[in-house]
Amino acid sequence: MSIEFLICLGTLFFLAGIGTPIAYAILVGSIAYLYAAGQGIGIAGKVLMDGLYQSFILLAVPLFIVAANIMNAGTISDRLLSFCVALVGRFRGGLGHVNVVASLIFSGMSGSAVADAAGIGKIIIEMMTKSGHYTRGYAAAITASSATIGPIIPPSIPMVLYALVSNTSIGYLFLGGIIPGLLMGAVLMAMNTYLSHRRGFALEAPVPLSELPRRTANAFPALLMPAILLYGIYGGVTTPTEAAAVAAFYALILAALFYRALSFRALYGILVESARSSAAVGLVIGGALILNYVVASENIPSMLAQRLVGLDVNPILFLLSVNLLLLLLGCVLDATTIILVIIPLFLPTCRELGIDLVHFGVVAVVNCMIGLITPPYGILLFVLNAVTRIPLSEIIREIWSFLIALLVALLALVLFPNLVLWLPRVFGYAG
């Protein structure tokens, strides 16, 4: 490791340690490397602009963010929740099941865990606490856990970012996320069932089955969005980026014209908030592009791959080790940083060991989403604390059971690659 790279890492960790936003820490650390190595600072600008202009796929990120924010507006979330209550609210722990099913449905519209937690999640927490059957901490914990499904079932902003660094097909990544997302929902519902019986949660008043057709009809236009998105991509009608534009446009038409739940003032607020969120992600992407140039200049990925192949590492053991590392990093780093900065280091080794990059990508994204609820950093815990004012200590006390359930699902995905690869192969994936 060169002196210049040590300067880069030292600057990065020092700035991050004193509370500097990670995007700025990465940018300053990378520029410090270029300066110490005697390379022109203009290289940073060139790498940044080349990375952005050559990545048409990045347009999908702000478009999915806009679509998610629009779907959170007005009565769309209320209609989806009403449908979920009628569907699964009659079972013990019913509102917990509603929470998970709502996240499964909403994940097909947003692609963002934070949007899921702060939008539909806030509403369901109020429903759970007002019922008197659930503690505040339990309601927030299951909401945070179910929100991790958002970026697994397509569309998925983290998978778009992984496709950027790995040159993997977004379409096959999206397909690979469907079964893992359903598996995550199943283990969370199983844990909710277990805890509901153990703690004796009261049954909710069941919604008459005669109400189900009406509530389904009310929610049906919103439920169509994932189908339109997936048909556009896998039917060859649109590219993933164009599908993101279609999703944003459909959400706008649905909220403004069909449900009449979106005013011009609300739309302006949504666009401003979406621009802020996109800019925050864009800063991290920009810093990661420059840092990845620095890492490539040091030849670190190739050296790591050669060292591990020389040791004749078993692919499963490698995957388990990488996932353990990612889980530890998820305690202190956000998912975007891990995907853009850390994961590219392991891609050459995956190729050398014959590990499928779609399988690795989906598993890595699931891992990063689990990091969103892992104390002490767990950004979803802070988001729910901010929007609901439920004390962080109460949420953390209840999160561990659901965290264990998700780790079981992650282990299954690592050990059984067909859980990820079966659906992509059905649609022609050769991996």
Side-chain angles (χ1 to χ4, degrees):
M1 189 179 294
S2 67
I3 295 296
E4 293 85 356
F5 192 60
L6 285 174
I7 292 172
C8 171
L9 292 180
T11 304
L12 195 161
F13 287 124
F14 171 74
L15 291 175
I18 63 174
T20 305
I22 190 67
Y24 298 136
I26 293 172
L27 283 167
V28 174
S30 302
I31 291 173
Y33 172 90
L34 296 175
Y35 182 79
Q39 300 187 38
I41 303 300
I43 290 176
K46 181 181 184 304
V47 170
L48 179 59
M49 298 311 294
D50 286 348
L52 293 176
Y53 279 118
Q54 292 173 9
S55 302
F56 179 68
I57 190 176
L58 284 179
L59 276 175
V61 175
L63 290 170
F64 281 137
I65 289 174
V66 170
N69 287 340
I70 291 175
M71 294 300 284
N72 264 330
T75 62
I76 296 176
S77 297
D78 295 335
R79 292 169 188 268
L80 290 174
L81 274 178
S82 178
F83 166 72
C84 294
V85 169
L87 193 65
V88 296
R90 66 190 66 251
F91 306 110
R92 188 172 297 278
L95 287 181
H97 295 318
V98 169
N99 198 321
V100 177
V101 173
S103 289
L104 283 169
I105 294 173
F106 199 74
S107 65
M109 304 171 194
S110 70
S112 166
V114 173
D116 195 346
I120 203 167
K122 181 182 178 182
I123 301 171
I124 190 67
I125 286 174
E126 292 176 359
M127 291 173 60
M128 293 180 72
T129 53
K130 285 180 180 177
S131 72
H133 301 158
Y134 309 88
T135 64
R136 296 182 303 173
Y138 187 89
I142 192 172
T143 298
S145 303
S146 65
T148 61
I149 303 171
I152 308 303
I153 292 179
S156 167
I157 293 172
M159 287 188 190
V160 172
L161 299 180
Y162 174 79
L164 171 70
V165 299
S166 67
N167 292 319
T168 311
S169 163
I170 296 183
Y172 290 135
L173 284 170
F174 280 6
L175 278 174
I178 293 176
I179 292 178
L182 295 175
L183 176 63
M184 292 167 70
V187 297
L188 289 176
M189 292 179 76
M191 181 57 72
N192 178 61
T193 299
Y194 169 73
L195 293 175
S196 298
H197 283 88
R198 183 179 176 184
R199 300 184 185 184
F201 291 157
L203 287 167
E204 310 293 336
V207 175
L209 288 176
S210 59
E211 278 284 299
L212 187 57
R214 184 182 67 82
R215 296 196 183 194
T216 303
N218 284 338
F220 186 71
L223 295 172
L224 270 181
M225 184 171 166
I228 293 171
L229 187 70
L230 293 175
Y231 176 76
I233 295 174
Y234 307 120
V237 180
T238 63
T239 66
T241 304
E242 292 165 348
V246 171
F249 181 71
Y250 180 76
L252 179 61
I253 295 298
L254 196 63
L257 300 182
F258 190 85
Y259 289 139
R260 298 184 181 276
L262 191 64
S263 65
F264 281 108
R265 176 175 293 182
L267 178 60
Y268 174 77
I270 286 170
L271 295 177
V272 170
E273 181 57 34
S274 300
R276 287 174 178 160
S277 300
S278 301
V281 175
L283 276 174
V284 179
I285 292 172
L289 288 171
I290 302 171
L291 183 59
N292 288 341
Y293 167 80
V294 170
V295 170
S297 299
E298 293 286 310
N299 204 30
I300 291 174
S302 298
M303 286 167 34
L304 181 63
Q306 292 169 7
R307 182 66 59 85
L308 289 172
V309 171
L311 293 175
D312 193 25
V313 177
N314 182 282
I316 292 294
L317 181 60
F318 172 77
L319 274 176
L320 290 172
S321 301
V322 170
N323 274 278
L324 180 60
L325 175 63
L326 295 181
L327 284 171
L328 294 174
L329 290 174
C331 296
V332 293
L333 291 176
D334 66 278
T336 302
T337 303
I338 293 174
I339 292 169
L340 293 174
V341 177
I342 306 299
I343 287 176
L345 297 175
F346 302 111
L347 295 177
T349 307
C350 289
R351 294 187 182 97
E352 291 288 342
L353 295 177
I355 297 171
D356 187 271
L357 291 187
V358 169
H359 175 230
F360 180 74
V362 172
V363 168
V365 171
V366 171
N367 194 314
C368 291
M369 294 308 103
I370 293 174
L372 296 179
I373 62 169
T374 305
Y377 183 73
I379 190 170
L380 285 181
L381 307 181
F382 290 98
V383 167
L384 288 175
N385 168 253
V387 300
T388 64
R389 303 301 178 189
I390 296 173
L392 203 57
S393 58
E394 294 184 23
I395 304 176
I396 292 175
R397 188 163 56 245
E398 296 281 6
I399 200 69
W400 299 107
S401 299
F402 299 109
L403 188 57
I404 291 170
L406 290 175
L407 288 175
V408 170
L410 176 64
L411 182 61
L413 295 176
V414 171
L415 298 178
F416 304 104
N418 278 335
L419 289 173
V420 174
L421 297 176
W422 177 75
L423 204 50
R425 285 169 177 163
V426 169
F427 281 80
Y429 179 57

